[in-house]
Amino acid sequence: MSTIAFGLIYPMLSDLVAFVAIGFCLLLSIYVLVALLYGVYTPELFPTEVRLRANGICNMLGRGATIVSPFIVLGLFKAYGIGGVTSLMIGLLLIQCGSAWLLTPPIGVQG
């Protein structure tokens, strides 16, 4: 949620100090999100027998999205400006939050 908040604020800043500070907070929250999802959350979604392979497939799909995303961002920026890019990224983060919320079993429940 902090990534969404900082992502909403970041493109609207004009003060250089605030721009750098919010940009740092945005990058920090993105890196924490990636580290937690790739390093901790994703492997725990799968049974031990297939954990490594399934986690590798998830990482492969994530890297594939990373290859394609600059082209999508460029097209959106040309067509809709920074608002279009920000809307896409926030929408994807909301989908990520929702799916993590829906797919995570309650604490104490073993799969």
Side-chain angles (χ1 to χ4, degrees):
M1 296 311 280
S2 66
T3 307
I4 293 171
F6 291 130
L8 282 170
I9 296 168
Y10 186 72
M12 298 176 194
L13 297 172
S14 58
D15 179 50
L16 184 61
V17 174
F19 189 74
V20 171
I22 296 297
F24 174 77
C25 292
L26 177 61
L27 283 175
L28 182 67
S29 63
I30 289 171
Y31 285 135
V32 168
L33 180 67
V34 168
L36 288 175
L37 285 175
Y38 280 147
V40 178
Y41 181 74
T42 306
E44 293 302 319
L45 292 175
F46 306 106
T48 305
E49 301 82 32
V50 296
R51 183 169 290 159
L52 234 74
R53 182 167 295 152
N55 196 38
I57 290 170
C58 288
N59 283 328
M60 177 195 66
L61 292 172
R63 288 176 190 257
T66 302
I67 292 168
V68 173
S69 64
F71 300 105
I72 296 170
V73 167
L74 180 62
L76 279 173
F77 186 75
K78 283 182 177 179
Y80 302 105
I82 194 71
V85 175
T86 305
S87 297
L88 172 71
M89 296 303 162
I90 290 172
L92 291 173
L93 284 167
L94 288 171
I95 290 170
Q96 187 179 37
C97 289
S99 55
W101 181 68
L102 288 172
L103 295 174
T104 302
I107 295 175
V109 175
Q110 302 263 335

